[in-house]
Amino acid sequence: MDDIFTQVREGNAFHVRVWLDNTENDLNQGDDHRFSLLHWASLEGRSNIVDMLIQRGARINATNMGDDTALHLASSHGHREIALMLLHNKANINAINEHGNTPLHYACFWGHDSIAEDLVNNGALVSLANKFNETPLEKAKAYLSKMLKDRAAALGQDLQTIPFKDRSWLGYKTRSRDALLSRHTGIDISQLNLISHIATTHSGDVWRGQWEGNDIVSKILKVRDCNIRTSRDFQEEVTRLRIFNHPNILPVLACCNQPPNLVILTQFMPYGSLFNVLHGETGIVVDQNQTLRFAMDIARGMEFLHTMEPLILNYVLTSKHVMIDEDLAKINIDDPKYYSPDGTVNGIDEDLTARINMADYKFTFQEKAKLYSPAWMAPEALQRKQTDINQRAADMWSFAILLWELETREVPFADLSPMETGMKIALEGLRLTIPPGVSSHISRLMKICMNEEPGKRPRFDMIIPIFEKMKHAS
């Protein structure tokens, strides 16, 4: 098969789908000029592939080396269906490239009247000047300029020229990813530059560092007896944790398999875990809207994991195993909502994304008899062997505990030790109580997800539409 960029350019949807189905392939990687797959599909007018990429989690606002977004390319090449698809998925309508041009500049210059009108109707500013002090209206033919000006005025736009303002220094442009992060599997431990120790957990020592110029987190696994069999099992299991094709999964980037050193690498997340955001001092305000966004992110990630065959076992869903990513590619930095009167940037918390951390997977050779997160575990998971339970239903219980944590901002069973918690849940019927003040919809959902009969708990694909309705109603 030719490289994936060629397949996208030529519109070979079947080959693209097969490539995307391989979890180790990173759909947000870029070519030598940082054109992502979405860039090429938008440029070439491959609407079916654009739709496929968006559904799989392609970053809508990622830029190439010229700071063009996919919307720039669709607008300049006259692909109206794709432009509307991107707008529907929150493309930054007033994004500026290296020349200060917006998608509307290009639609006007190339005479794509219908796209220009769509852009204005969706909030594109007709008076935003580029580096050469040219507005989109000055790029358009006379009839189009008049029509867009009248339409903008009817929509309440201020028609006074908005001078170009260089915001590149803010650092909020997000280019497509260096494919290096998904090309490597095994690396030499000498290539790692471990800078600072973050934590010591039951599964290993966690370090912040750098690898090939990328900020990473390295977990050096604790292994009692690292023999040839352990090394073989590690290599086999870590391969399944390299899930690059879902936006709510944080993949294992690479591993170091050099006994006695077994190391896994993930991308560094400056905010840390959801547990840290909820109970630490990050300064992030988790309001009801953000709670719904986090819950939806986690549910979507778990839904994806539950489609995998065989299922990834030995993973307990807790707030400690969900990382918070400041997804800069989602930020419409030119949107006025991000600016305070003094010109400083604000409102970035709205664009935080929750991602399930595959590095918190428990390998089969690690302390099989010990359980470390009983507060989030289903009663049957504490009472029986893993082979004797419905793992998907047990994960739904864990999600309900996490939802309780999001709503209350409290640590479940914080007054008990992990051992006491596990014993009381398994043997004495200890359960969380839903406090007053939690919305009736969330309360009802938590009760359904924590049904004592595993078979009566819903699937993740059943609860995602419920969250979407809640989000639209808020």
Side-chain angles (χ1 to χ4, degrees), residues 27-300:
L27 83 168
N28 286 306
Q29 71 183 46
D31 62 13
D32 292 342
H33 298 284
R34 289 293 187 268
F35 275 74
S36 68
L37 302 180
L38 186 60
H39 278 106
W40 279 116
S42 299
L43 186 151
E44 298 290 348
R46 311 299 183 186
S47 56
N48 56 337
I49 295 179
V50 168
D51 182 55
M52 194 189 309
L53 291 169
I54 291 173
Q55 295 303 320
R56 298 293 185 107
R59 292 189 169 195
I60 302 295
N61 292 317
T63 58
N64 60 17
M65 291 184 75
D67 286 338
D68 292 305
T69 65
L71 185 58
H72 279 95
L73 300 177
S75 299
S76 63
H77 289 80
H79 303 308
R80 186 185 186 192
E81 182 184 358
I82 292 175
L84 290 172
M85 207 181 298
L86 294 168
L87 290 172
H88 180 71
N89 286 278
K90 299 184 179 179
N92 182 357
I93 198 165
N94 290 309
I96 55 176
N97 64 10
E98 63 179 350
H99 303 296
N101 289 319
T102 65
L104 184 58
H105 277 90
Y106 288 118
C108 289
F109 178 79
W110 293 108
H112 300 307
D113 300 6
S114 56
I115 294 179
E117 188 174 4
D118 290 334
L119 291 169
V120 172
N121 286 335
N122 282 277
L125 301 175
V126 299
S127 303
L128 195 61
N130 61 17
K131 282 186 176 181
F132 311 103
N133 202 34
E134 299 167 320
T135 67
L137 298 182
E138 292 170 317
K139 291 280 192 180
K141 293 180 180 178
Y143 74 91
L144 179 59
S145 178
K146 184 180 185 309
M147 185 266 287
L148 295 178
K149 185 176 181 180
D150 292 344
R151 184 62 186 147
L155 292 170
Q157 283 194 31
D158 184 352
L159 300 181
Q160 185 175 351
T161 299
I162 304 169
F164 171 77
K165 188 174 183 180
D166 184 7
R167 297 187 180 123
S168 60
W169 61 272
L170 290 169
Y172 288 112
K173 294 282 187 185
T174 300
R175 290 191 175 148
S176 55
R177 284 201 284 255
D178 183 350
L180 177 76
L181 293 177
S182 56
R183 285 179 186 150
H184 286 70
T185 50
I187 62 170
D188 193 298
I189 196 169
S190 63
Q191 296 176 332
L192 296 179
N193 178 21
L194 302 183
I195 299 170
S196 59
H197 184 260
I198 296 176
T200 297
T201 69
H202 60 272
S203 59
D205 285 312
V206 183
W207 291 77
R208 180 181 177 182
Q210 283 205 325
W211 170 60
E212 299 284 355
N214 296 290
D215 289 328
I216 52 93
V217 170
S218 298
K219 180 187 280 189
I220 304 174
L221 300 183
K222 287 181 182 175
V223 184
R224 182 172 296 177
D225 181 22
C226 189
N227 52 37
I228 294 175
R229 180 175 179 177
T230 304
S231 175
R232 184 192 64 206
D233 290 347
F234 172 72
Q235 191 67 46
E236 184 178 311
E237 292 177 48
V238 81
T239 301
R240 299 201 66 216
L241 308 180
R242 289 170 50 77
I243 302 172
F244 286 89
N245 62 356
H246 196 282
N248 300 120
I249 305 290
L250 184 66
V252 168
L253 299 176
C255 71
C256 171
N257 189 353
Q258 293 174 307
N261 294 310
L262 302 181
V263 186
I264 51 179
L265 273 62
T266 55
Q267 183 181 350
F268 174 69
M269 299 282 108
Y271 289 122
S273 68
L274 178 59
F275 186 92
N276 185 50
V277 167
L278 291 175
H279 312 300
E281 297 182 356
T282 59
I284 296 174
V285 178
V286 183
D287 58 15
Q288 190 60 33
N289 287 332
Q290 186 65 74
T291 291
L292 285 176
R293 280 191 290 270
F294 282 158
M296 286 177 66
D297 287 344
I298 297 164
R300 285 170 176 153

Side-chain angles (χ1 to χ4, degrees), residues 202 275 318 320 369-377 382 411-427 430:
H202 60 272
F275 186 92
T318 80
K320 296 177 182 178
K370 292 188 178 181
L371 302 174
Y372 294 97
S373 304
W376 286 267
M377 295 179 70
L382 295 167
V411 179
F413 309 115
D415 55 333
L416 301 174
S417 70
M419 180 176 287
E420 288 176 312
T421 300
M423 294 292 288
K424 287 180 179 290
I425 291 174
L427 305 175
L430 176 67

Side-chain angles (χ1 to χ4, degrees), residues 376-418:
W376 286 267
M377 295 179 70
E380 69 271 16
L382 295 167
Q383 296 163 342
R384 303 181 219 147
K385 295 179 182 177
Q386 192 171 58
T387 53
D388 297 334
I389 67 170
N390 180 338
Q391 186 60 51
R392 290 178 174 85
D395 287 341
M396 183 54 73
W397 179 288
S398 300
F399 177 78
I401 302 297
L402 204 154
L403 190 56
W404 179 92
E405 191 178 358
L406 278 166
E407 285 288 329
T408 64
R409 314 291 192 270
E410 296 179 13
V411 179
F413 309 115
D415 55 333
L416 301 174
S417 70

Side-chain angles (χ1 to χ4, degrees), residues 283-348:
I284 296 174
V285 178
V286 183
D287 58 15
Q288 190 60 33
N289 287 332
Q290 186 65 74
T291 291
L292 285 176
R293 280 191 290 270
F294 282 158
M296 286 177 66
D297 287 344
I298 297 164
R300 285 170 176 153
M302 291 304 297
E303 178 196 22
F304 179 81
L305 291 179
H306 281 186
T307 63
M308 300 185 72
E309 292 291 349
L311 196 65
I312 294 179
L313 303 174
N314 301 326
Y315 185 90
V316 178
L317 178 63
T318 80
S319 58
K320 296 177 182 178
H321 299 166
V322 174
M323 304 303 286
I324 302 304
D325 184 7
E326 189 175 60
D327 192 349
L328 302 181
K330 292 167 70 176
I331 295 176
N332 295 350
I333 196 61
D334 298 298
D335 191 315
K337 76 175 182 179
Y338 288 105
Y339 288 88
S340 298
D342 61 357
T344 57
V345 180
N346 59 31
I348 300 304

Side-chain angles (χ1 to χ4, degrees), residues 3-12 31 40-41 44 46:
D3 73 89
I4 188 59
F5 296 103
T6 301
Q7 299 294 344
V8 170
R9 289 198 299 269
E10 294 180 352
N12 296 327
D31 62 13
W40 279 116
E44 298 290 348
R46 311 299 183 186

